[in-house]
Every structure is written in structure tokens, then in C-alpha cells.
Amino acid sequence: MAFSGITELSPGSVYALQNAFELNGRISAYPDSARGYSVSNCYLLKADGRSMLLDTGYTAHETEILEQLGSLVEPDAPLSLFPLRINEFMSVSNAMAIARRFNVVECFSNVPDIEEWIEFETLRGEERNPILKTTIIERGDHSQVALSPGRKVDVLNAPIRLISTRWIYDAASKTLFSSDMFSHLWRDREDGPWLLGDNDTDDVTNYSFVRSFLLNTRYWWIEGGNLTPIRKAVADVYDRFEIENIAPGYGTILRGRRHVDRQFQVLDDVLDQLDRTRVAPAYVPRGLVR
Amino acid sequence: MDIENPLPREIARGVFWLGDCLEQFHKGKSYHSYNAAFLLCGDDASMLIETGHPKDFPAIERQMIELLTADRPPLKYLFVTHQETPHSGGLGRVFQNWPDITVHGDVADYHLAFPQHADRLVSMEVGDEIDLGGRKLVAVEPVIRDLRTTLWGFDTGANCLFPGDGLAYSHYHQDGHCGLVAEEATSLDLEDVLAVFAERALYWTTTTDMRIYVDQLEALLDELGVETIAPTHGLPVTDLALTMPKVRDGLIAEGDPELSVRHISNVDQPEVT
């Protein structure tokens, strides 16, 4: 039985729905050579009787995610969905299953008619999926959406991204939801731990490891790129928001300013050292290990 | 779409272009683009390449049934270039209609997205091939890609390249481009329509010197002897000598602005691919 658990990040307010998968060379978000386990993290934000779910997880975890949600959300309570990468299975696979079970009142999207993007089944006979109300998020690098009448979250164009990606900042919990970034902490055991606390040691995050992780996963293209605008955009997020927790879409969650400082510093170092002013750009063939 | 869908269309011998347009808006202007699939028919077996955008699957399903019932060999294989939903989101729906097929490519993640079909996934690497009878589909280097797990396909029967997100560009619905190959769409401004995808989908291409990648692409086309290019998002290219120089200029223009012809501001997000 694969690990499945709920981690409370902020009392009564922010929960991580964590479900493990094996790293076996068949996970696109991790290096081909990575072995062990990681988790996909969907995050539930709650306020004033309303909830917002960031990402919906893989189909392989559908049963667990529905159970996890069921333990946190009343079936009739209004629930918003917010896939951070609408073209990726981890973000959208369970959207319809959740909408069939819970009172999904809207789905945030940068495209209209979101149900046309997330319907992966052919229904038979009289079966019909719910029509989701699409709430279009504003264009531009920064906007806000309401979790409840009294609580908004910041929506950011991910400052470093492979494809369409949003980061979310929740000021109430001082948490940055970073989607595919800061996701490089995996484990040998499927039961984690999947939260690194204030006083826990991060033995992994250093220049060489993060450099290798980025180049061997979704950020294979950054070596020799013009990374100055990306560094500036990442630094802007760090400077503008009071981040105490980093909550990635995959892997270990990081709690505490010390971890936050380290993650941003190492990322900046990597981007600085791989900038085209230091490294000449070159073709990167598929499967090149660096 | 409010006009009759011009697809399916045979773009090379035994290569059928499937799908429908997707309208998108960019800087206040309407563009159309494709999230296409292709049916490749050999003497003994047929193969679907890509599954199309989830919204298009009912249309693609109808197109496939129409084509496969017309004395063509049965569908045995599905090849998918990579794991984004506009390319592979229909995988489960294809299985529902053709439960005996196998899925080929770099099959990462599909066991998590479609666990009920995990036993039908067959991993490929560059150089691996599938024999359809009289033609083979060969996995080739994905020169322009996003996910690291991308593979391109090459059909030895019609020397047709299936480059997934490579050559990703929109077209002008108002000019009647829907269903046309690139050479027929004479008013198509490739630099303009490549920019839509460069800004919205292939963000990384705006950060680097794209001459490196275009050179590599041209070398691959020469090495394979490509005669037709069947991109997932762009209009098919059937005259490389005429169209590829324009593609070259367009791709280079989208690269790092300090290395390229003109500046492309980074103001928006991908909505496609």
C-alpha cells in the first residue's frame, strides 16, 4: 500500500494531500536516474467555510485524494479548483472525479471552457460530467483571486517555468506554492518524512545537486541561456513576499525561513553560474546527463 | 468551430491529419491552432500518433472510425510524443475504443495518469522502431521539445517527421488557413504565428540562441531525408525547400532577443501545447 497522508501546514487553514509514487526512471519530473520515492502534493486552503484545491493529483491516487478531501471538506461546502499547470496530468487528472463528488463552484483557468481541457474519459449512456464554471484568471505576472470574501491569494506567473505554470502565495499562512520548482527533495522511503521542519537539516540542497536536478529534469535548457530576466523575476518573488514555507507540487515541503533563504539562494547561484555570460549555449540532446 | 471541419486530410501517402482547430487570442488578435493527431497506415497495421486535445477527441474518434473502416489495416499502436494533455490526454479514450492497442514512446507518467492501462505501455528510445508493414515508425531525437521525456517519430514510408511541439505555430482562420498545409496558406506570416507559441508555450526558446536548435533541426531533416513534416500544432509542411527557410527565420527571431533579430517581450503565459 503506497503512502498516503494529510499534512496540516497551517492549523485549520492549509493542508497538503500527499500521495507517494516510486521513482523508477518513469517520472518526467525527476531525473531518469533518481531512485526512491516522492509524493505528489495537492494543497487545500480553507477559509470561512470555503475551500480551494491547488492541483488535483494523478488518477492513480484518485481514491486516496477523494478520501482525503472528504475528511476535510463537507460535500456541500463550496470548493474551488486551481490547477497550476493545466496541461499536466498531475494538476488536472482528478478534476472531474472531484467535481462529481464535491460542490465544485469554479475552476480557475487561463483558458475559457476548462472542462474541454480536462475531460479524459468517454462517458457512456446517460452519464454526464459536471459542467465546471470557469473563472478566468487575469493576465499578467501578478494578480489575486478570492479564497473567501475575507481572504485572497496571490497568483504569480511562475518566474521560472517550462510550460504554463502558476505559483500561488498565501499571505495568511506565508506559504509559497511553487508547483514544479523546489521539488528536488525525495526520499529512500515512501513514508517520508515529507515535511522538513524549522529545525530539520536539509542535507540535499546545495549548488551541485540543484544544478544537476534542474538540468536533468524540466530545466534542461537553462545552461547557456539568458537567465538574467529569470533571476530578477525569482528575486522579485523572494523580496516581495514574506515566505515562511515552500510548498512544491512534488516532494518534501519546507517549513521555516532558514530553508526558504537557502532554497532561493541556491537557485539564484545556479542560475547565475549557468547564465550565458559564463557558459556558452550549446545543443542539449535528449538524455544528456549533467 | 462554426465552420465545417476540413479534416481528416491525407497529407502524404498513408498519413492522415486528424483533429480540429482551437481558437486562442494573443495580443488582442484571434488565432487558430491545432492539437492534431495523425493516423499512419501500413500494409499490416495502423498507428495513431498523438491523441489530440481532450476537446477534439469526439471528432478524432469519428475521423478514425471513418478512415479505419475504409479497407485499411487495424489500429494496433499509439505513439505519443510526450506527456502533456493536448498530446496524450486522449490515451484512455483511445483504449476504450481500441482495447487491444499498445502505447509507445517515452511512457513516463502514464502509469500514474492511466493506471488501468499500465500493462499496455511500451517504452521506446531513440532508434527504436515499430513495423507497420511496408513502413516503420522510428523514434528520433526531439530537437525542439519541452518535457525531457519527449520523443519525435519518423515514418519511413512517406519520409514524414512527427515533431510534436517542434514547428509549433498558429494560423489565420479568417484567411481560410484551417485544413491547409503550410504552402497553401500563402498569407501565413510564420514569424508572427511562431511567436504566439514561443511566448505562450515554448517559453525557453525566448531565452536562448535558437540558431543552435535550428541548425540541429536542419541536420536531422537532412539525415533522415524528411519530405513531409506533420507537427502537432502547426500546419503540415509538404515543401521543405519553400517553407523551412521561413521557419528558420521565425524560430531564430523568437530566441534570446540580444542574440536574435527582434525583441519578443515576455508578458504572457502559455495556453496551448
Side-chain angles (χ1 to χ4, degrees):
Chain A
M1 185 70 177
F3 169 80
S4 176
I6 298 173
T7 300
E8 189 176 50
L9 300 182
S10 180
S13 175
V14 181
Y15 302 86
L17 317 184
Q18 300 188 288
N19 291 282
F21 53 83
E22 184 180 6
L23 299 180
N24 53 9
R26 296 176 60 201
I27 304 294
S28 67
Y30 284 86
D32 188 55
S33 60
R35 291 295 180 271
Y37 295 88
S38 188
V39 284
S40 74
N41 298 315
C42 306
Y43 296 98
L44 187 73
L45 283 62
K46 298 188 71 173
D48 306 319
R50 299 178 66 95
S51 302
M52 178 186 293
L53 183 66
L54 308 180
D55 292 331
T56 69
Y58 291 113
T59 306
H61 300 140
E62 177 184 322
T63 301
E64 291 82 1
I65 287 169
L66 292 175
E67 287 178 2
Q68 290 167 336
L69 268 180
S71 71
L72 296 168
V73 177
E74 294 297 322
D76 296 334
L79 171 65
S80 303
L81 302 182
F82 199 140
L84 300 183
R85 290 168 287 148
I86 66 165
N87 286 340
E88 295 216 42
F89 291 115
M90 183 274 180
S91 288
V92 297
S93 283
N94 291 315
M96 281 300 177
I98 292 168
R100 284 195 292 269
R101 177 80 66 89
F102 294 92
N103 179 25
V104 174
V105 294
E106 63 184 337
C107 183
F108 292 100
S109 167
N110 57 331
V111 297
D113 304 322
I114 185 65
E115 71 272 6
E116 292 191 342
W117 293 68
I118 58 177
E119 173 49 82
F120 303 117
E121 302 170 73
T122 301
L123 299 180
R124 304 296 185 190
E126 297 300 311
E127 285 186 295
R128 291 291 179 272
N129 271 321
I131 301 296
L132 297 181
K133 176 183 177 292
T134 304
T135 300
I136 299 285
I137 51 181
E138 292 178 23
R139 296 195 176 284
D141 286 339
H142 181 200
S143 60
Q144 289 189 319
V145 298
L147 168 58
S148 73
R151 183 169 162 193
K152 291 183 176 178
V153 297
D154 294 272
V155 180
L156 312 173
N157 239 352
I160 176 168
R161 59 184 181 270
L162 176 64
I163 62 168
S164 174
T165 304
R166 258 74 186 184
W167 287 5
I168 302 290
Y169 176 70
D170 174 37
S173 62
K174 299 181 180 177
T175 301
L176 177 69
F177 300 93
S178 61
S179 189
D180 67 358
M181 186 52 58
F182 308 118
S183 60
H184 55 270
L185 282 84
W186 71 84
R187 302 289 182 182
D188 294 332
R189 295 166 52 94
E190 65 177 302
D191 56 355
W194 298 114
L195 173 72
L196 208 59
D198 281 338
N199 298 319
D200 295 330
T201 301
D202 174 3
D203 295 326
V204 172
T205 302
N206 58 50
Y207 172 82
S208 62
F209 186 85
V210 173
R211 174 187 182 278
S212 178
F213 180 83
L214 293 175
L215 293 177
N216 290 319
T217 54
R218 303 164 66 87
Y219 294 93
W220 56 267
W221 45 272
I222 60 177
E223 188 169 27
N226 179 7
L227 304 181
T228 301
I230 294 175
R231 284 184 69 200
K232 182 174 180 304
V234 172
D236 185 55
V237 171
Y238 177 79
D239 292 338
R240 193 193 311 184
F241 301 105
E242 190 180 350
I243 304 167
E244 292 287 343
N245 307 301
I246 294 179
Y250 312 97
T252 306
I253 298 166
L254 298 141
R255 169 175 280 166
R257 186 67 187 184
R258 186 171 57 91
H259 290 307
V260 173
D261 291 344
R262 182 181 175 92
Q263 294 299 325
F264 274 87
Q265 183 60 58
V266 170
L267 175 59
D268 185 67
D269 288 347
V270 171
L271 296 175
D272 181 27
Q273 293 299 315
L274 293 180
D275 186 81
R276 64 176 165 75
T277 57
R278 299 179 186 272
V279 185
Y283 178 70
V284 180
R286 172 186 153 88
L288 178 68
V289 177
R290 289 170 286 173
Chain B
M1 297 299 146
D2 56 2
I3 62 164
E4 188 175 347
N5 183 2
L7 302 184
R9 177 176 176 180
E10 187 171 19
I11 57 169
R13 183 184 59 80
V15 182
F16 298 89
W17 180 19
L18 315 178
D20 200 355
C21 293
L22 175 73
E23 185 176 25
Q24 56 185 146
F25 292 90
H26 179 66
K27 295 183 177 176
K29 192 173 171 184
S30 169
Y31 293 84
H32 276 201
S33 62
Y34 279 102
N35 293 277
F38 297 90
L39 186 66
L40 180 62
C41 298
D43 295 334
D44 305 324
S46 295
M47 167 184 279
L48 182 66
I49 296 169
E50 310 279 55
T51 69
H53 191 285
K55 85 163 180 64
D56 293 337
F57 196 73
I60 290 173
E61 183 182 45
R62 285 193 300 273
Q63 293 163 356
M64 288 173 66
I65 290 170
E66 172 190 325
L67 290 166
L68 288 169
T69 53
D71 198 27
R72 293 192 175 87
L75 188 73
K76 290 187 177 178
Y77 309 106
L78 167 62
F79 174 83
V80 190
T81 60
H82 64 294
Q83 285 75 8
E84 285 182 281
T85 56
H87 298 261
S88 55
L91 192 153
R93 291 169 146 185
V94 175
F95 267 115
Q96 285 177 307
N97 290 304
W98 292 275
D100 296 329
I101 63 162
T102 48
V103 179
H104 301 256
D106 184 319
V107 294
D109 300 347
Y110 299 138
H111 62 295
L112 296 175
F114 300 99
Q116 66 274 39
H117 304 304
D119 61 337
R120 311 292 291 182
L121 307 175
V122 183
S123 181
M124 294 181 81
E125 250 307 338
V126 170
D128 290 347
E129 56 188 36
I130 299 168
D131 192 346
L132 303 181
R135 69 198 317 160
K136 293 177 180 176
L137 188 287
V138 184
V140 299
E141 171 74 10
V143 177
I144 298 171
R145 61 188 181 275
D146 45 33
L147 296 184
R148 70 164 180 83
T149 44
T150 302
L151 277 174
W152 287 3
F154 176 67
D155 160 45
T156 61
N159 293 328
C160 181
L161 180 70
F162 300 94
D165 281 342
L167 277 71
Y169 55 87
S170 303
H171 58 270
Y172 307 139
H173 168 74
Q174 68 274 18
D175 286 6
H177 290 173
C178 307
L180 301 184
V181 300
E183 295 74 26
E184 295 167 338
T186 53
S187 61
L188 189 68
D189 178 350
L190 272 168
E191 190 170 320
D192 174 43
V193 292
L194 278 160
V196 177
F197 269 80
E199 267 193 34
R200 294 182 170 223
L202 294 169
Y203 165 69
W204 67 268
T205 64
T206 66
T207 72
T208 196
D209 182 355
M210 283 303 291
R211 286 174 294 197
I212 296 166
Y213 288 86
V214 175
D215 289 347
Q216 195 74 27
L217 173 62
E218 291 175 346
L220 181 73
L221 298 177
D222 287 343
E223 176 191 335
L224 296 174
V226 172
E227 296 177 35
T228 299
I229 303 176
T232 302
H233 304 300
L235 303 179
V237 175
T238 58
D239 184 339
L240 274 65
L242 181 64
T243 300
M244 287 311 293
K246 300 173 193 171
V247 171
R248 179 185 179 87
D249 290 345
L251 286 171
I252 290 173
E254 308 324 323
D256 177 358
E258 294 181 30
L259 295 169
S260 304
V261 181
R262 69 178 174 84
H263 175 72
I264 304 294
S265 65
N266 176 29
V267 296
D268 212 342
Q269 270 281 331
E271 291 177 356
V272 281
T273 191

